Amino acid sequence: MIALSSIINIALRALKANAMRSFLAILGIIIGVGAVVTMVAIGSGASEKISSQISSIGSNLILVLPGATTQSGIRMGTGTQQTLTMTDAEAISKECSAVIAVAPAITGTAQVVFGNQNWATGVIGTTPDMVIVREWELISGRFVNEQDVRSGTKVAVIGQTVAERLFGELDPIGKVIRIKKIPFEVIGVLDRKGQSLTGQDQDDIIYVPITTAQRTLFGQTLPGRVRMIYAKASSLESIPQATEQIKTLLRQRHRIGPNQEDDFTVMDLTQMLKAAEESTKTMSILLGAIASVSLIVGGIGIMNIMLVSVTERTREIGIRMAVGAKPKDIRMQFLIEAVFLTTIGGIFGLLLGIGTSFAVASLMDWPISISLFSALIAFGFSAFVGVFFGFYPAYKASTLNPIEALRYE
Amino acid sequence: MSIIRLEQVVKIYKFGEFELKVLDDITVSIEKGEFVCIMGPSGSGKSTFMNIIGCLDTPTSGKYFLDGVDVSTFNLDELAEIRNKKIGFVFQQFNLLPRATALENVELPLIYSGVPSKQRKDMALEVLSKVGLTERANHYPRQLSGGQQQRVAIARALVNNPPIMLADEPTGNLDSKSSMEIMEIFKKLNEERGLTTIIVTHEPDIAAFGKRQIRFLDGKIVCDSTVCTVEVNP
């Protein structure tokens, strides 16, 4: 059996002899692979961003907001009425079987001061289950507990952004900050969550016990009323059931008749994001598929060049056969030439794709994700294109009759 | 035992409905170490005869024994193996690879017999020195004269040390001086190594190098100098 290194050497020499033509032949593959890599990077970048947002808001999250109510014929916006109460939240927790955790919230913004630093941020009064609902870890200290809620202690759990703005390098635990001039002790620091779907900084936040918020910070809230209720369904599949249970329960509790509109709104964020994720996935598959077409076209270009090459080198094939090349040796030679072309095209295409992806990322501010997997797929596919489109020309070369091949002018 | 023995070899080429009998019941033996010249007009079947002996082609019927082995039933791979190991071919057109140096051209048969690169180079250089082209080893065919190119081709034919040398009008493209040089090489190889040599030629002075002349006409052997010394005019 003829050594592979010899065949590769022969193939390389033939490609070098027709450098310009070889380059033009692989240009199709370069563009094809480049397009696939770029499209997949753009598509999976988008869906990765959405996925990370899904996990950052907390999976299976359901939001209950006060409804848009109509007062004297004037339709007010969502949340204008404080129709939700602490007891609503407790009832949901107790009676809705598909809900595993509930956290009511009172929200507002406030100026926060520590030492000579000050910062305006969102302050949320809530209950201990908030960290379960939002799947939020603490990097130090603890979260608001039942004791805090019961006695309305002035404690605060701060997000990463707040920690950086107020404390810089200092450890915030145990320090006293002033929220609306009222002193609060920092008892915990939350882990980083990043931007939300709408681009808001989720780490720019302070959690305090809901009772404290109501009594001392946001006095305009009626006693026992909450701004919104966070609920967590037991699984993705049980979200619709949980939504239905919450609606039924609240309609009962708020004594809403069969023909009356709800005075609350139930929002299923996970479902919305899942839908967005699905459509991005579909988009990236579609983009990849369109890009693959150019790879196939590139493969046909390779096949064309290889056929020309076989015809041109008929005499060379005859000579090789006359001195003892077996049909499989000839077939291998041309196959390796084709695979070599497409593999080189694959490498350059990969570089082109990575370059284009980064250009798109920086020029259009689009999240990209180049995975090793997609690079390997593009690379492997280009080698496969070489085998697939190189096989016929190689087969044709190997079946030449040596006598006729030697006579070929 | 004859190194080459053809028994009732017939070769028919088919062109659609039309059949052409190129070789018609050829039976001939060539002994080891013989120097045979094949003569005959174009279309007399001598090239087909050479192709069959050289295992580039197979007979339609009849048997071909090479070294006592019937190769007429061999498949393409087996024939390639025979061409590689047992036959050295020299052509009128030289048939060197234009993009390979003299040395690389000579190495070519060794690539297909799986000889490692380093050893290939040594073996190729050795045969190149035998045909007096050591200092031209790194020249490309276009940088060599016709005579030199043919000597590279002879070196290529010799590199695997085959027992049989076949040459199809090796001097057809050469001037008379180069022709004589090439024929002297063949003669020397035949005498010193006992290389069985078969040469097709049109020219009587080239044919005179052969110790045996075989004349073809219309696919038949009309004269074989071992059995008849009478010149038969075509």
Side-chain angles (χ1 to χ4, degrees):
Chain A
M1 184 57 200
I2 159 168
L4 195 66
S5 62
S6 301
I7 294 188
I8 289 173
N9 200 15
I10 293 167
L12 262 182
R13 186 186 290 261
L15 297 181
K16 252 199 300 198
N18 279 310
M20 185 62 185
R21 193 168 75 184
S22 306
F23 171 72
L24 289 176
I26 64 173
L27 198 55
I29 297 292
I30 294 178
I31 293 170
V33 171
V36 170
V37 170
T38 312
M39 293 306 155
V40 170
I42 288 173
S44 56
S47 54
E48 248 175 50
K49 187 176 179 180
I50 292 174
S51 302
S52 76
Q53 280 161 352
I54 290 176
S55 60
S56 83
I57 61 157
S59 52
N60 312 330
L61 181 67
I62 297 166
L63 270 185
V64 188
L65 298 166
T69 49
T70 308
Q71 291 177 332
S72 326
I74 301 163
R75 298 180 72 191
M76 314 294 273
T78 303
T80 43
Q81 275 271 31
Q82 296 175 0
T83 54
L84 297 174
T85 63
M86 284 289 284
T87 46
D88 282 340
E90 278 156 26
I92 291 171
S93 172
K94 277 194 200 108
E95 289 174 36
C96 298
S97 60
V99 174
I100 54 168
V102 176
I106 296 172
T107 61
T109 52
Q111 203 69 22
V112 190
V113 179
F114 174 73
N116 57 358
Q117 300 289 326
N118 73 93
W119 183 248
T121 187
V123 178
I124 297 179
T126 190
T127 57
D129 272 359
M130 183 57 101
V131 276
I132 300 170
V133 175
R134 296 220 47 199
E135 292 172 354
W136 210 336
E137 301 289 324
L138 277 91
I139 51 170
S140 63
R142 62 170 180 86
F143 197 69
V144 172
N145 63 20
E146 290 292 348
Q147 178 66 40
D148 297 324
V149 175
R150 226 175 295 132
S151 44
T153 49
K154 296 191 180 69
V155 293
V157 177
I158 62 177
Q160 281 288 315
T161 306
V162 176
E164 280 160 23
R165 295 291 172 176
L166 292 184
F167 295 96
E169 296 294 300
L170 290 174
D171 179 13
I173 304 294
K175 303 279 188 311
V176 174
I177 56 174
R178 287 171 182 276
I179 304 172
K180 283 190 170 177
K181 294 177 184 163
I182 300 155
F184 279 76
E185 185 193 349
V186 178
I187 54 164
V189 180
L190 292 159
D191 199 2
R192 186 175 296 282
K193 261 205 193 282
Q195 284 191 346
S196 75
L197 190 60
T198 49
Q200 274 175 330
D201 181 2
Q202 300 183 88
D203 300 311
D204 192 3
I205 197 125
I206 296 177
Y207 282 111
V208 297
I210 191 162
T211 42
T212 319
Q214 200 159 46
R215 284 175 212 153
T216 58
L217 292 176
F218 308 118
Q220 73 273 32
T221 312
L222 297 170
R225 302 280 167 166
V226 298
R227 179 72 183 78
M228 59 177 85
I229 298 170
Y230 289 79
K232 185 180 174 64
S234 54
S235 68
L236 185 64
E237 293 71 38
S238 67
I239 290 175
Q241 193 195 348
T243 310
E244 210 42 56
Q245 287 174 350
I246 293 170
K247 275 186 182 168
T248 314
L249 180 72
L250 290 183
R251 282 179 74 87
Q252 265 174 22
R253 290 181 57 82
H254 295 184
R255 297 194 173 79
I256 296 164
N259 298 324
Q260 275 178 292
E261 276 185 46
D262 292 346
D263 64 353
F264 58 90
T265 309
V266 180
M267 281 171 68
D268 169 7
L269 283 181
T270 311
Q271 225 42 342
M272 278 161 56
L273 283 173
K274 286 278 175 198
E277 191 185 29
E278 280 305 308
S279 67
T280 354
K281 264 188 190 153
T282 312
M283 182 189 77
S284 65
I285 289 170
L286 208 63
L287 286 174
I290 292 168
S292 313
V293 171
S294 64
L295 196 53
I296 290 167
V297 173
I300 294 170
I302 295 283
M303 187 161 171
N304 195 11
I305 285 299
M306 292 310 294
L307 282 173
V308 170
S309 177
V310 167
T311 309
E312 261 185 8
R313 286 153 66 193
T314 300
R315 203 184 174 88
E316 176 195 322
I317 295 164
I319 294 169
R320 290 183 184 279
M321 285 176 159
V323 301
K326 295 181 173 121
K328 64 167 182 269
D329 295 331
I330 300 291
R331 198 160 59 226
M332 203 63 179
Q333 178 188 336
F334 282 92
L335 205 54
I336 283 184
E337 261 187 59
V339 172
F340 224 92
L341 279 175
T342 55
T343 309
I344 292 170
I347 292 170
F348 282 105
L350 194 57
L351 295 178
L352 178 78
I354 291 170
T356 315
S357 304
F358 278 114
V360 167
S362 68
L363 289 178
M364 298 169 70
D365 197 24
W366 186 280
I368 57 154
S369 154
I370 298 164
S371 62
L372 184 67
F373 181 70
S374 81
L376 283 178
I377 287 284
F379 197 70
F381 195 54
S382 64
F384 169 77
V385 164
V387 173
F388 187 81
F389 289 100
F391 189 81
Y392 175 67
Y395 171 77
K396 207 180 153 210
S398 73
T399 54
L400 286 175
N401 179 326
I403 301 166
E404 282 164 27
L406 279 169
R407 267 193 224 124
Y408 187 85
E409 294 298 329
Chain B
M1 187 181 61
S2 311
I3 189 161
I4 290 168
R5 171 145 187 86
L6 272 66
E7 285 178 5
Q8 296 170 321
V9 164
V10 175
K11 182 70 188 180
I12 294 166
Y13 283 120
K14 280 187 183 158
F15 304 97
E17 293 290 294
F18 180 68
E19 283 190 357
L20 184 66
K21 205 177 229 177
V22 191
L23 289 180
D24 188 1
D25 197 20
I26 300 287
T27 298
V28 70
S29 295
I30 292 168
E31 303 305 318
K32 195 170 182 326
E34 271 199 277
F35 196 124
V36 184
C37 283
I38 311 283
M39 300 187 76
S42 313
S44 59
K46 57 187 193 308
S47 283
T48 304
F49 175 75
M50 289 292 270
N51 287 339
I52 287 176
I53 290 181
C55 290
L56 283 168
D57 210 345
T58 48
T60 309
S61 69
K63 286 188 185 326
Y64 168 26
F65 294 95
L66 196 157
D67 253 347
V69 181
D70 183 7
V71 299
S72 47
T73 56
F74 273 24
N75 66 26
L76 291 175
D77 281 1
E78 291 166 324
L79 290 174
E81 186 96 23
I82 296 272
R83 290 199 295 271
N84 187 249
K85 300 267 161 60
K86 301 218 164 165
I87 314 275
F89 240 116
V90 176
F91 306 90
Q92 182 180 359
Q93 307 291 341
F94 318 136
N95 278 338
L96 300 176
L97 297 180
R99 286 196 297 264
T101 62
L103 184 71
E104 287 163 345
N105 266 290
V106 177
E107 280 184 41
L108 199 56
L110 298 175
I111 290 178
Y112 294 109
S113 40
V115 178
S117 167
K118 176 78 187 69
Q119 205 181 333
R120 269 201 321 254
K121 207 177 163 198
D122 294 342
M123 289 168 79
L125 276 171
E126 198 192 320
V127 282
L128 269 176
S129 77
K130 286 212 177 95
V131 296
L133 282 176
T134 308
E135 65 277 21
R136 302 279 165 150
N138 292 318
H139 285 54
Y140 288 90
R142 63 172 184 279
Q143 298 167 315
L144 300 171
S145 72
Q148 286 169 333
Q149 288 190 49
Q150 196 60 300
R151 280 193 272 162
V152 173
I154 292 172
R156 181 178 67 191
L158 286 175
V159 74
N160 245 344
N161 212 6
I164 300 165
M165 170 72 84
L166 301 177
D168 196 349
E169 300 196 37
T171 59
N173 276 356
L174 300 177
D175 57 59
S176 56
K177 184 170 166 285
S178 304
S179 295
M180 285 306 138
E181 282 172 13
I182 294 296
M183 289 313 291
E184 285 300 333
I185 292 174
F186 281 126
K187 192 179 163 195
K188 208 172 124 199
L189 288 169
N190 175 251
E191 284 168 358
E192 287 178 5
R193 293 201 192 182
L195 188 66
T196 309
T197 309
I198 304 170
I199 292 177
V200 170
T201 184
H202 279 303
E203 298 152 73
D205 53 337
I206 299 295
F209 277 87
K211 292 168 194 151
R212 175 182 177 188
Q213 283 87 27
I214 295 175
R215 188 173 283 274
F216 274 81
L217 186 65
D218 296 335
K220 288 181 197 291
I221 293 177
V222 291
C223 176
D224 188 333
S225 59
T226 52
V227 290
C228 83
T229 47
V230 186
E231 184 76 6
V232 177
N233 285 320

